[in-house]
Amino acid sequence: MQRLLIDRSTLDLIVSDGNDFLNVLNAAGLHQAANLMMAVLQQLETDQSRLTEDGPPAAPTI
C-alpha cells in the first residue's frame, strides 16, 4: 500500500484520535481490534519521530 506524505500537525491529530479510539476499543473489551489499533499507532509514532517541526513530511515506509 502506498503511503501519503502528511505534515506534523495532521499526523499529531491522527495519533490523538487513534489513541482515543484505542481507549474505546479497550473499554469495550475488543482486545483483537485494540491490538491491531496499537500496531497502527506504533507505526504512526515511528512516522512522527521522523518528522521535524518545520521539516518536510516523513518518507514513506513499507
Side-chain angles (χ1 to χ4, degrees):
M1 173 172 45
Q2 184 176 0
R3 300 186 56 185
L4 300 175
L5 299 178
I6 58 175
D7 64 22
R8 180 163 191 91
S9 63
T10 302
L11 187 55
D12 290 345
L13 181 60
I14 292 168
V15 169
S16 176
D17 288 348
N19 281 314
D20 292 343
F21 185 56
L22 177 62
N23 291 336
V24 170
L25 292 172
N26 281 321
L30 300 171
H31 303 293
Q32 285 182 321
N35 287 338
L36 289 171
M37 189 62 195
M38 180 62 75
V40 170
L41 287 170
Q42 288 172 342
Q43 182 59 55
L44 289 171
E45 289 171 0
T46 298
D47 292 346
Q48 268 184 319
S49 70
R50 293 182 178 153
L51 291 175
T52 60
E53 284 298 320
D54 297 319
T61 59
I62 297 177

